[in-house]
Amino acid sequence: MLDSLPKDKSLAANGCEDKTWKVVASSAAKNCKNYIRDIVDNLALEPNRDKAVIALSLGDPTVYGNLKPSPETVQAILEAVQGGVCNGYGPCVGTDGARKAVANYLSFDGVNFEAKDVILCSGCSSSLDLCVTVLADPNKGHNIIIPKPGFPIYRTLAESLGVEVKTYNLLPEEGWNIDLLHLEAQIDDNTAAIVVNNPSNPCGSVFDESHLKDILEIASKHKIPIIADEIYERLVFPETRFVSAASIDADVPILICGGLAKRFLVPGWRMGWIVIHDPVGAFDPDIRKGLASLSQKTIGSNSLAQGALPAILKLTPQSFYDDLVNILYDNAKLTFEALSNIAGLVPYMPEGTMYMMVKIELEHFPEFHSGLDFMQRLMEEESVFCLPGECFGISEFMRLVITIPSELIQEACNRMSEFCGRYYT
Ligand SMILES: *Cc1c(COP(=O)(O)O)cnc(C)c1O
């Protein structure tokens, strides 16, 4: 019977003929934007062929090869490979040994974490992803409040989930402290979390204890939990002390995010963590369970990095941390002095991290329509590239990375001086 049907008719009966592929990316994918790439790719970036490019744009301390992980870190990962016992799956939240190691590493200034408070993730970005996902519910119209200027990944993560993003201002004239009145004005009934990034990328600023107290007081008053991105934690310059939000005596639940990327100089190893600080029991049991459930999405983080973690965190000597801080501090001073002498640029001396913010006084550069225009021409004429403030949500600023060798920083500053001298009026 079927055989007697014309071929095209039987195909039509199966519905195969007139259908076309309609495969479209989900809104989670479409709303997942890389704001740095979006802005940078839209610039017509052509370096001057007669000058080698100096990239002060990449927030990866390993790119120029001058900053290397400690021998202890390298040895630890070699042993994790050679020992042969880190090749399997482990618990999704991380192995007990690695969680305990992070708890110990972050227990200072009177804070005492336990292994059960730690969840290991695939880099600090993934830690932040889990924190936003566990606290903010797009189906309830939730929002999160993030710093401006600020690291763009908070927005990327929230928008991909369909969570609304609000921003609070940082004040350059007040050492990039938070505009507390502005922060409080952003909070509404749907606010699920406030993201606090200290020390700050891109500002290089470090909050003191009293400022942190003020921030936590606002969170406590409105009963909003904090996501504290402390990836730079003790990477602060000699006169500055890092204070973790967890060490402040306040009745605010906090998810602290960190990892090996910056202070240990191995961003590609993708090892991050969340540490639960919950003096009021607000995260018990829902958020703790939720984070554990979400860690199942990736079946846990890299087993070799977990195997190496106890030795890395225990054996890396203070001298390694001090050397890194001193190199960055020297570079910061060098950059600050050089740029302070350039009319039209106002550098802001960082207190830690790997970055410096520089204001571009556009009123003195009528040739340029915007900070983006300025950056593009600086690349075209001097082959120097920094990230425009627009990548972090503010205009008329640029962010410089100060991890690169000092001779290159000096050369970049010389070129910026010549460039600004040509156009300053
Ligand atoms: C680099 C950075 C991160 C991401 O770190 P990974 O561990 O590489 O994912 C998170 N937050 C800030 C502020 C950063 O600068």
Side-chain angles (χ1 to χ4, degrees):
M1 174 66 194
L2 263 179
D3 283 345
S4 68
L5 284 172
K7 205 177 174 201
D8 56 338
K9 219 175 174 182
S10 77
L11 275 174
N14 287 333
C16 297
E17 198 183 42
D18 47 5
K19 274 215 165 181
T20 53
W21 292 96
K22 291 194 189 86
V23 189
V24 290
S26 66
S27 47
K30 282 186 177 151
N31 295 332
C32 192
K33 291 201 187 128
N34 180 333
Y35 285 90
I36 295 182
R37 279 262 70 82
D38 273 9
I39 290 164
V40 171
D41 289 349
N42 272 320
L43 296 176
L45 285 178
E46 266 303 315
N48 180 340
R49 284 169 187 217
D50 299 329
K51 296 183 183 187
V53 171
I54 305 178
L56 296 164
S57 52
L58 298 165
D60 176 345
T62 71
V63 280
Y64 279 90
N66 54 321
L67 300 179
K68 293 194 172 56
S70 71
E72 291 77 10
T73 296
V74 174
Q75 187 59 31
I77 202 89
L78 285 175
E79 286 176 12
V81 176
Q82 284 164 346
V85 296
C86 299
N87 297 331
Y89 294 120
C92 295
V93 290
T95 61
D96 287 343
R99 294 168 83 194
K100 181 94 190 98
V102 172
N104 289 343
Y105 171 72
L106 293 178
S107 291
F108 58 91
D109 282 350
V111 179
N112 268 304
F113 291 118
E114 294 173 45
K116 70 172 175 56
D117 302 322
V118 179
I119 290 149
L120 300 180
C121 303
S122 186
C124 182
S125 308
S126 131
S127 310
L128 292 162
D129 188 16
L130 262 58
C131 292
V132 173
T133 307
V134 81
L135 291 172
D137 197 331
N139 299 320
K140 293 184 180 156
H142 281 166
N143 63 69
I144 62 164
I145 317 182
I146 67 171
K148 176 182 162 172
F151 191 52
I153 198 152
Y154 314 128
R155 182 179 287 280
T156 301
L157 296 172
E159 288 181 348
S160 172
L161 286 169
V163 168
E164 192 198 334
V165 174
K166 296 178 153 201
T167 60
Y168 60 81
N169 291 333
L170 304 181
L171 302 168
E173 62 280 8
E174 288 181 29
W176 300 102
N177 271 356
I178 295 177
D179 181 340
L180 295 167
L181 289 176
H182 190 236
L183 167 63
E184 194 162 9
Q186 301 308 306
I187 296 172
D188 64 29
D189 291 343
N190 289 325
T191 300
I194 300 169
V195 176
V196 175
N197 174 214
N198 175 51
S200 160
N201 174 8
C203 305
S205 49
V206 182
F207 296 154
D208 67 16
E209 192 168 341
S210 103
H211 191 55
L212 279 167
K213 277 188 178 147
D214 291 343
I215 298 163
L216 294 187
E217 202 167 297
I218 293 174
S220 170
K221 181 173 156 196
H222 296 274
K223 301 289 177 280
I224 314 283
I226 301 262
I227 299 171
D229 181 351
E230 296 187 350
I231 181 91
Y232 295 97
E233 37 136 350
R234 285 157 280 181
L235 194 47
V236 299
F237 299 156
E239 293 91 44
T240 305
R241 195 168 81 88
F242 166 73
V243 180
S244 170
S247 74
I248 305 288
D249 182 19
D251 53 354
V252 177
I254 306 173
L255 297 176
I256 310 235
C257 296
L260 290 184
K262 307 293 163 48
R263 200 178 183 217
F264 295 85
L265 301 172
V266 287
W269 290 10
R270 310 312 298 134
M271 172 48 70
W273 50 72
I274 301 166
V275 185
I276 301 170
H277 171 73
D278 186 16
V280 289
F283 289 155
D284 241 346
D286 222 39
I287 299 301
R288 278 183 192 271
K289 278 192 185 159
L291 288 170
S293 298
L294 288 169
S295 74
Q296 301 177 102
K297 290 216 283 185
T298 55
I299 327 283
S301 64
N302 185 297
S303 62
L304 293 171
Q306 286 189 48
L309 203 49
I312 293 172
L313 297 181
K314 209 168 153 217
L315 302 181
T316 296
Q318 187 58 40
S319 60
F320 172 79
Y321 303 127
D322 292 344
D323 288 350
L324 176 60
V325 159
N326 287 328
I327 290 168
L328 294 172
Y329 188 41
D330 285 346
N331 283 354
K333 286 186 287 189
L334 172 86
T335 312
F336 184 79
E337 263 166 49
L339 298 184
S340 295
N341 293 323
I342 301 178
L345 296 184
V346 183
Y348 288 73
M349 183 65 189
E351 297 167 289
T353 77
M354 314 176 151
Y355 313 103
M356 178 180 294
M357 283 290 259
V358 179
K359 187 171 169 53
I360 307 163
E361 295 182 320
L362 280 178
E363 65 275 22
H364 290 296
F365 299 104
E367 174 94 8
F368 307 117
H369 312 303
S370 65
L372 290 169
D373 199 15
F374 179 98
M375 308 303 317
Q376 187 168 316
R377 290 284 289 278
L378 179 62
M379 181 65 160
E380 249 169 48
E381 295 179 27
E382 300 295 341
S383 300
V384 170
F385 188 57
C386 319
L387 283 188
E390 280 78 1
C391 292
F392 307 97
I394 56 166
S395 50
E396 300 184 27
F397 275 89
M398 54 184 172
R399 187 200 72 173
L400 275 58
V401 167
I402 53 168
T403 53
I404 77 170
S406 57
E407 347 38 288
L408 285 178
I409 294 189
Q410 187 62 60
E411 171 67 15
C413 291
N414 293 346
R415 293 189 200 172
M416 283 194 253
S417 175
E418 291 200 1
F419 179 78
C420 290
R422 281 201 290 282
Y423 296 105
Y424 183 88
T425 55

